Amino acid sequence: MVDVAVIPAAGFGTRVLPASKVVSKELFPIYNKPAIHYIVLECVRAGIKEVILVLSKRKMDILKYFEPDPELERFLEVKGKLSLIQELKVFEKIKIDYAIQEKQLGLGHAILCAKDKVKDRNFAVLLPDDIYIAEGKIGVIEKLIEVFESEKPDGGVVLVKKVPKDKVSKYGIIVPSRKHKNLIYISGVVEKPSSSEAPSLYAVVGRYVFTPKIFDWIESEKFDRAGEIQLAGAFGRFSKEISGSVIACQIQGKWLDIGSPDGYITAFKEIARMKIV
Ligand code: G1P
């Protein structure tokens, strides 16, 4: 069972500064909802009962979005806007918790900040910069959990999508070892390789399901040249040293990167056009 998700959202949002200086980029609206709404809704739909947001102290505005607002609800009730009340209550049954990342030391480090709350549970990770639309719906973590539960890997399952060669340097790129239908057993990951060094064209999308064993691999991961602890480094070594421990999964769909200005505009248009949630 996977009933907890970690959403790392402590970064400075440098790609969208100065817009992200006072308002966290996770709260930027996409059509009529803040970006983080879609990510947490993806968790609700996958049956996740608890979300741990990894935040920095300057990004506590994200938490406020998930707090109940009885005054607003009363106002809407008087005005007879009941469907809006329902929309506000969509997160009523999910526990929203948080952990603080004091220093921006990389994605692996951010996930480690949630270790005390995840404890020994299997858990999902959703990067809020990535939105994935599959089968006309926003969200894919439910499908990844299904694969995790049927394959029972020692380490985890990560979503991948094939990207053009000139884009590999933006992503974690997997080393494929064995393929079976839409699943690829991996034996390493290279974080942001040059196009000549890329081991494949399969990029890690920002949706993962891990066993708690991943924490040991993150803890033993060394700082990279940029002074960060990478999640890809940790599950890359795990997959290399313990064969079959990490499975990459391909799911047909559209990948939107909302962490850059152009990607944000594309996502906004796409979601507004589809009017889907
Ligand atoms: C992160 C991960 C990378 C992954 C990417 C997906 O990179 O480190 O492996 O491919 O997200 O968006 P970031 O975009 O945070 O630099």
Side-chain angles (χ1 to χ4, degrees), residues 2 4-7 37-51 91 94 124-126 138-139 141-142 145:
V2 181
V4 58
V6 176
I7 303 181
H37 182 110
Y38 298 97
I39 310 290
V40 177
L41 191 59
E42 181 174 345
C43 295
V44 172
R45 288 184 170 154
I48 286 168
K49 303 279 180 282
E50 180 180 348
V51 161
F91 300 119
I94 195 164
V125 173
L126 297 92
I138 295 179
I141 201 70
E142 187 174 3
I145 292 173

mmCIF file of all heavy atoms in Angstrom, residues 2 4-7 37-51 91 94 124-126 138-139 141-142 145:
data_model
loop_
_atom_site.group_PDB
_atom_site.id
_atom_site.type_symbol
_atom_site.label_atom_id
_atom_site.label_comp_id
_atom_site.label_asym_id
_atom_site.label_seq_id
_atom_site.Cartn_x
_atom_site.Cartn_y
_atom_site.Cartn_z
ATOM 1 N N VAL A 2 0.451 2.238 -0.756
ATOM 2 C CA VAL A 2 1.180 3.511 -0.771
ATOM 3 C C VAL A 2 0.188 4.586 -0.323
ATOM 4 O O VAL A 2 -0.732 4.933 -1.059
ATOM 5 C CB VAL A 2 1.733 3.828 -2.182
ATOM 6 C CG1 VAL A 2 2.500 5.143 -2.179
ATOM 7 C CG2 VAL A 2 2.628 2.690 -2.685
ATOM 8 N N VAL A 4 1.260 7.562 1.410
ATOM 9 C CA VAL A 4 1.900 8.837 1.726
ATOM 10 C C VAL A 4 2.702 9.324 0.513
ATOM 11 O O VAL A 4 3.262 8.517 -0.228
ATOM 12 C CB VAL A 4 2.781 8.695 3.005
ATOM 13 C CG1 VAL A 4 3.845 7.634 2.866
ATOM 14 C CG2 VAL A 4 3.432 10.036 3.395
ATOM 15 N N ALA A 5 2.692 10.638 0.325
ATOM 16 C CA ALA A 5 3.444 11.226 -0.797
ATOM 17 C C ALA A 5 4.292 12.384 -0.283
ATOM 18 O O ALA A 5 3.890 13.113 0.632
ATOM 19 C CB ALA A 5 2.488 11.731 -1.864
ATOM 20 N N VAL A 6 5.452 12.536 -0.897
ATOM 21 C CA VAL A 6 6.342 13.656 -0.571
ATOM 22 C C VAL A 6 6.372 14.580 -1.789
ATOM 23 O O VAL A 6 6.558 14.122 -2.919
ATOM 24 C CB VAL A 6 7.764 13.139 -0.241
ATOM 25 C CG1 VAL A 6 8.717 14.308 0.009
ATOM 26 C CG2 VAL A 6 7.726 12.215 0.972
ATOM 27 N N ILE A 7 6.155 15.870 -1.536
ATOM 28 C CA ILE A 7 6.193 16.862 -2.622
ATOM 29 C C ILE A 7 7.261 17.892 -2.274
ATOM 30 O O ILE A 7 7.051 18.728 -1.387
ATOM 31 C CB ILE A 7 4.815 17.544 -2.810
ATOM 32 C CG1 ILE A 7 3.732 16.486 -3.085
ATOM 33 C CG2 ILE A 7 4.879 18.586 -3.922
ATOM 34 C CD1 ILE A 7 2.328 17.041 -3.303
ATOM 35 N N HIS A 37 -2.479 22.671 -6.505
ATOM 36 C CA HIS A 37 -3.803 22.046 -6.405
ATOM 37 C C HIS A 37 -3.848 20.769 -7.258
ATOM 38 O O HIS A 37 -4.307 19.723 -6.810
ATOM 39 C CB HIS A 37 -4.865 23.050 -6.880
ATOM 40 C CG HIS A 37 -6.275 22.566 -6.781
ATOM 41 N ND1 HIS A 37 -7.186 23.067 -5.874
ATOM 42 C CD2 HIS A 37 -6.946 21.609 -7.493
ATOM 43 C CE1 HIS A 37 -8.346 22.447 -6.030
ATOM 44 N NE2 HIS A 37 -8.227 21.561 -7.006
ATOM 45 N N TYR A 38 -3.356 20.881 -8.490
ATOM 46 C CA TYR A 38 -3.401 19.738 -9.410
ATOM 47 C C TYR A 38 -2.535 18.579 -8.897
ATOM 48 O O TYR A 38 -2.872 17.412 -9.066
ATOM 49 C CB TYR A 38 -2.912 20.160 -10.803
ATOM 50 C CG TYR A 38 -3.767 21.236 -11.444
ATOM 51 C CD1 TYR A 38 -3.393 22.575 -11.368
ATOM 52 C CD2 TYR A 38 -4.953 20.913 -12.097
ATOM 53 C CE1 TYR A 38 -4.177 23.572 -11.956
ATOM 54 C CE2 TYR A 38 -5.748 21.903 -12.681
ATOM 55 C CZ TYR A 38 -5.351 23.230 -12.611
ATOM 56 O OH TYR A 38 -6.126 24.214 -13.170
ATOM 57 N N ILE A 39 -1.411 18.957 -8.264
ATOM 58 C CA ILE A 39 -0.473 17.924 -7.799
ATOM 59 C C ILE A 39 -1.066 17.170 -6.595
ATOM 60 O O ILE A 39 -1.026 15.935 -6.539
ATOM 61 C CB ILE A 39 0.889 18.572 -7.391
ATOM 62 C CG1 ILE A 39 1.426 19.509 -8.484
ATOM 63 C CG2 ILE A 39 1.916 17.523 -6.996
ATOM 64 C CD1 ILE A 39 1.906 18.868 -9.742
ATOM 65 N N VAL A 40 -1.660 17.925 -5.660
ATOM 66 C CA VAL A 40 -2.240 17.257 -4.481
ATOM 67 C C VAL A 40 -3.511 16.495 -4.876
ATOM 68 O O VAL A 40 -3.777 15.409 -4.359
ATOM 69 C CB VAL A 40 -2.467 18.266 -3.324
ATOM 70 C CG1 VAL A 40 -3.135 17.589 -2.125
ATOM 71 C CG2 VAL A 40 -1.130 18.880 -2.888
ATOM 72 N N LEU A 41 -4.259 17.046 -5.840
ATOM 73 C CA LEU A 41 -5.448 16.334 -6.325
ATOM 74 C C LEU A 41 -5.055 14.983 -6.957
ATOM 75 O O LEU A 41 -5.746 13.977 -6.797
ATOM 76 C CB LEU A 41 -6.200 17.203 -7.344
ATOM 77 C CG LEU A 41 -7.590 16.721 -7.745
ATOM 78 C CD1 LEU A 41 -8.512 16.614 -6.541
ATOM 79 C CD2 LEU A 41 -8.198 17.667 -8.776
ATOM 80 N N GLU A 42 -3.923 14.979 -7.627
ATOM 81 C CA GLU A 42 -3.396 13.723 -8.203
ATOM 82 C C GLU A 42 -3.186 12.694 -7.073
ATOM 83 O O GLU A 42 -3.479 11.512 -7.249
ATOM 84 C CB GLU A 42 -2.071 14.030 -8.931
ATOM 85 C CG GLU A 42 -1.441 12.829 -9.590
ATOM 86 C CD GLU A 42 -0.213 13.197 -10.434
ATOM 87 O OE1 GLU A 42 0.005 14.374 -10.760
ATOM 88 O OE2 GLU A 42 0.535 12.254 -10.765
ATOM 89 N N CYS A 43 -2.726 13.172 -5.932
ATOM 90 C CA CYS A 43 -2.519 12.282 -4.776
ATOM 91 C C CYS A 43 -3.859 11.788 -4.232
ATOM 92 O O CYS A 43 -4.025 10.592 -3.958
ATOM 93 C CB CYS A 43 -1.780 13.019 -3.654
ATOM 94 S SG CYS A 43 -0.113 13.499 -4.090
ATOM 95 N N VAL A 44 -4.815 12.702 -4.077
ATOM 96 C CA VAL A 44 -6.142 12.324 -3.549
ATOM 97 C C VAL A 44 -6.727 11.215 -4.423
ATOM 98 O O VAL A 44 -7.213 10.199 -3.933
ATOM 99 C CB VAL A 44 -7.096 13.555 -3.535
ATOM 100 C CG1 VAL A 44 -8.524 13.143 -3.189
ATOM 101 C CG2 VAL A 44 -6.604 14.618 -2.553
ATOM 102 N N ARG A 45 -6.618 11.395 -5.742
ATOM 103 C CA ARG A 45 -7.210 10.431 -6.671
ATOM 104 C C ARG A 45 -6.512 9.091 -6.655
ATOM 105 O O ARG A 45 -7.081 8.082 -7.086
ATOM 106 C CB ARG A 45 -7.185 11.005 -8.089
ATOM 107 C CG ARG A 45 -8.197 12.110 -8.222
ATOM 108 C CD ARG A 45 -8.251 12.611 -9.620
ATOM 109 N NE ARG A 45 -9.376 13.501 -9.778
ATOM 110 C CZ ARG A 45 -9.434 14.469 -10.685
ATOM 111 N NH1 ARG A 45 -8.439 14.646 -11.518
ATOM 112 N NH2 ARG A 45 -10.490 15.228 -10.764
ATOM 113 N N ALA A 46 -5.270 9.086 -6.171
ATOM 114 C CA ALA A 46 -4.529 7.822 -6.109
ATOM 115 C C ALA A 46 -4.743 7.125 -4.764
ATOM 116 O O ALA A 46 -4.118 6.101 -4.494
ATOM 117 C CB ALA A 46 -3.046 8.102 -6.338
ATOM 118 N N GLY A 47 -5.601 7.694 -3.926
ATOM 119 C CA GLY A 47 -5.892 7.074 -2.629
ATOM 120 C C GLY A 47 -4.863 7.389 -1.555
ATOM 121 O O GLY A 47 -4.839 6.743 -0.501
ATOM 122 N N ILE A 48 -4.021 8.374 -1.827
ATOM 123 C CA ILE A 48 -3.021 8.768 -0.827
ATOM 124 C C ILE A 48 -3.715 9.526 0.303
ATOM 125 O O ILE A 48 -4.607 10.339 0.054
ATOM 126 C CB ILE A 48 -1.902 9.597 -1.522
ATOM 127 C CG1 ILE A 48 -1.029 8.627 -2.336
ATOM 128 C CG2 ILE A 48 -1.079 10.402 -0.534
ATOM 129 C CD1 ILE A 48 -0.074 9.271 -3.284
ATOM 130 N N LYS A 49 -3.316 9.192 1.540
ATOM 131 C CA LYS A 49 -4.023 9.775 2.696
ATOM 132 C C LYS A 49 -3.239 10.908 3.346
ATOM 133 O O LYS A 49 -3.753 11.653 4.165
ATOM 134 C CB LYS A 49 -4.255 8.679 3.768
ATOM 135 C CG LYS A 49 -5.033 7.483 3.263
ATOM 136 C CD LYS A 49 -6.520 7.793 3.255
ATOM 137 C CE LYS A 49 -7.354 6.645 2.771
ATOM 138 N NZ LYS A 49 -7.359 6.481 1.318
ATOM 139 N N GLU A 50 -1.954 11.006 3.020
ATOM 140 C CA GLU A 50 -1.111 11.989 3.700
ATOM 141 C C GLU A 50 -0.074 12.543 2.717
ATOM 142 O O GLU A 50 0.562 11.785 1.995
ATOM 143 C CB GLU A 50 -0.398 11.280 4.859
ATOM 144 C CG GLU A 50 0.503 12.159 5.656
ATOM 145 C CD GLU A 50 1.181 11.385 6.800
ATOM 146 O OE1 GLU A 50 0.760 10.232 7.096
ATOM 147 O OE2 GLU A 50 2.133 11.928 7.367
ATOM 148 N N VAL A 51 0.056 13.861 2.709
ATOM 149 C CA VAL A 51 1.038 14.510 1.844
ATOM 150 C C VAL A 51 2.022 15.259 2.725
ATOM 151 O O VAL A 51 1.625 15.969 3.648
ATOM 152 C CB VAL A 51 0.314 15.488 0.875
ATOM 153 C CG1 VAL A 51 1.284 16.499 0.305
ATOM 154 C CG2 VAL A 51 -0.359 14.728 -0.249
ATOM 155 N N PHE A 91 -9.792 18.856 -0.442
ATOM 156 C CA PHE A 91 -8.642 18.335 0.306
ATOM 157 C C PHE A 91 -8.967 18.025 1.772
ATOM 158 O O PHE A 91 -8.068 17.812 2.578
ATOM 159 C CB PHE A 91 -7.474 19.328 0.223
ATOM 160 C CG PHE A 91 -7.043 19.576 -1.189
ATOM 161 C CD1 PHE A 91 -7.109 20.839 -1.740
ATOM 162 C CD2 PHE A 91 -6.592 18.535 -1.984
ATOM 163 C CE1 PHE A 91 -6.740 21.071 -3.059
ATOM 164 C CE2 PHE A 91 -6.218 18.744 -3.299
ATOM 165 C CZ PHE A 91 -6.293 20.015 -3.838
ATOM 166 N N ILE A 94 -7.596 14.613 3.170
ATOM 167 C CA ILE A 94 -6.179 14.256 3.065
ATOM 168 C C ILE A 94 -5.406 15.068 4.110
ATOM 169 O O ILE A 94 -5.697 16.247 4.335
ATOM 170 C CB ILE A 94 -5.634 14.476 1.625
ATOM 171 C CG1 ILE A 94 -4.291 13.771 1.437
ATOM 172 C CG2 ILE A 94 -5.552 15.927 1.230
ATOM 173 C CD1 ILE A 94 -3.892 13.610 -0.027
ATOM 174 N N ALA A 124 5.236 7.841 -2.374
ATOM 175 C CA ALA A 124 5.287 8.436 -3.711
ATOM 176 C C ALA A 124 6.026 9.768 -3.620
ATOM 177 O O ALA A 124 6.053 10.404 -2.577
ATOM 178 C CB ALA A 124 3.867 8.674 -4.204
ATOM 179 N N VAL A 125 6.656 10.162 -4.718
ATOM 180 C CA VAL A 125 7.276 11.488 -4.818
ATOM 181 C C VAL A 125 6.714 12.156 -6.072
ATOM 182 O O VAL A 125 6.701 11.550 -7.151
ATOM 183 C CB VAL A 125 8.817 11.398 -4.914
ATOM 184 C CG1 VAL A 125 9.421 12.780 -5.185
ATOM 185 C CG2 VAL A 125 9.411 10.805 -3.639
ATOM 186 N N LEU A 126 6.237 13.381 -5.919
ATOM 187 C CA LEU A 126 5.722 14.133 -7.074
ATOM 188 C C LEU A 126 6.438 15.474 -7.130
ATOM 189 O O LEU A 126 6.375 16.252 -6.166
ATOM 190 C CB LEU A 126 4.211 14.392 -6.948
ATOM 191 C CG LEU A 126 3.294 13.165 -6.923
ATOM 192 C CD1 LEU A 126 3.046 12.715 -5.484
ATOM 193 C CD2 LEU A 126 1.958 13.477 -7.585
ATOM 194 N N ILE A 138 -5.417 14.867 -15.517
ATOM 195 C CA ILE A 138 -4.125 15.272 -14.962
ATOM 196 C C ILE A 138 -3.737 14.236 -13.917
ATOM 197 O O ILE A 138 -4.489 14.007 -12.968
ATOM 198 C CB ILE A 138 -4.202 16.667 -14.318
ATOM 199 C CG1 ILE A 138 -4.492 17.706 -15.406
ATOM 200 C CG2 ILE A 138 -2.898 16.999 -13.595
ATOM 201 C CD1 ILE A 138 -4.622 19.112 -14.900
ATOM 202 N N GLY A 139 -2.593 13.621 -14.110
ATOM 203 C CA GLY A 139 -2.119 12.724 -13.067
ATOM 204 C C GLY A 139 -1.801 11.339 -13.551
ATOM 205 O O GLY A 139 -2.450 10.805 -14.455
ATOM 206 N N ILE A 141 0.257 9.269 -11.000
ATOM 207 C CA ILE A 141 0.877 8.565 -9.865
ATOM 208 C C ILE A 141 0.076 7.299 -9.508
ATOM 209 O O ILE A 141 0.646 6.297 -9.088
ATOM 210 C CB ILE A 141 1.079 9.500 -8.641
ATOM 211 C CG1 ILE A 141 2.156 8.944 -7.692
ATOM 212 C CG2 ILE A 141 -0.211 9.768 -7.874
ATOM 213 C CD1 ILE A 141 3.540 8.984 -8.202
ATOM 214 N N GLU A 142 -1.229 7.350 -9.746
ATOM 215 C CA GLU A 142 -2.076 6.186 -9.473
ATOM 216 C C GLU A 142 -1.596 4.973 -10.293
ATOM 217 O O GLU A 142 -1.493 3.857 -9.777
ATOM 218 C CB GLU A 142 -3.514 6.549 -9.848
ATOM 219 C CG GLU A 142 -4.520 5.503 -9.475
ATOM 220 C CD GLU A 142 -5.952 5.970 -9.728
ATOM 221 O OE1 GLU A 142 -6.140 7.094 -10.258
ATOM 222 O OE2 GLU A 142 -6.865 5.199 -9.410
ATOM 223 N N ILE A 145 1.701 3.648 -8.980
ATOM 224 C CA ILE A 145 1.499 2.858 -7.751
ATOM 225 C C ILE A 145 1.033 1.443 -8.117
ATOM 226 O O ILE A 145 1.474 0.452 -7.527
ATOM 227 C CB ILE A 145 0.500 3.573 -6.792
ATOM 228 C CG1 ILE A 145 1.133 4.863 -6.242
ATOM 229 C CG2 ILE A 145 0.070 2.655 -5.653
ATOM 230 C CD1 ILE A 145 0.201 5.748 -5.414
#
